[in-house]
Amino acid sequence: MIETKQLQYLVVCADLQSFSKAADVLYTSQPNVSKIIRTLEEELGFSLFERSRGGITLTPEGKKILPQAKKMVEYDESW
């Protein structure tokens, strides 16, 4: 089951294009961010990010799901 936390991590990672920078913003460690994103990718059945030494970029599938993730995170935070 996909959790709001996973979607929040997706949004922050996509915005910052870095798991390390996202970890700083989310007050957690980079390995934890990687783990949560990897778990989300496993649940969805596809990769969300292309990983490289220069950072991360969204895959085509990641680009498709990001707007929905942003809406879900925004909705959840409105409560």
Side-chain angles (χ1 to χ4, degrees):
M1 178 178 207
I2 296 173
E3 300 176 10
T4 303
K5 178 180 178 178
Q6 292 172 304
L7 299 177
Q8 179 185 25
Y9 278 47
L10 166 61
V11 170
V12 174
C13 289
D15 287 346
L16 298 176
Q17 298 181 349
S18 166
F19 290 158
S20 296
K21 290 177 184 175
D24 290 340
V25 170
L26 295 165
Y27 302 104
T28 189
S29 66
Q30 180 273 325
N32 189 51
V33 171
S34 294
K35 178 182 172 186
I36 288 173
I37 294 296
R38 191 175 333 107
T39 301
L40 177 58
E41 289 174 329
E42 289 171 1
E43 289 179 26
L44 292 171
F46 54 82
S47 295
L48 296 165
F49 294 99
E50 294 287 337
R51 293 150 172 88
S52 69
R53 289 190 145 244
I56 56 172
T57 55
L58 286 168
T59 62
E61 294 84 1
K63 288 178 183 177
K64 288 179 186 175
I65 198 170
L66 183 62
Q68 296 167 330
K70 285 184 176 183
K71 285 181 186 177
M72 294 298 293
V73 170
E74 183 179 294
Y75 176 78
D76 189 62
E77 290 177 352
S78 69
W79 289 94

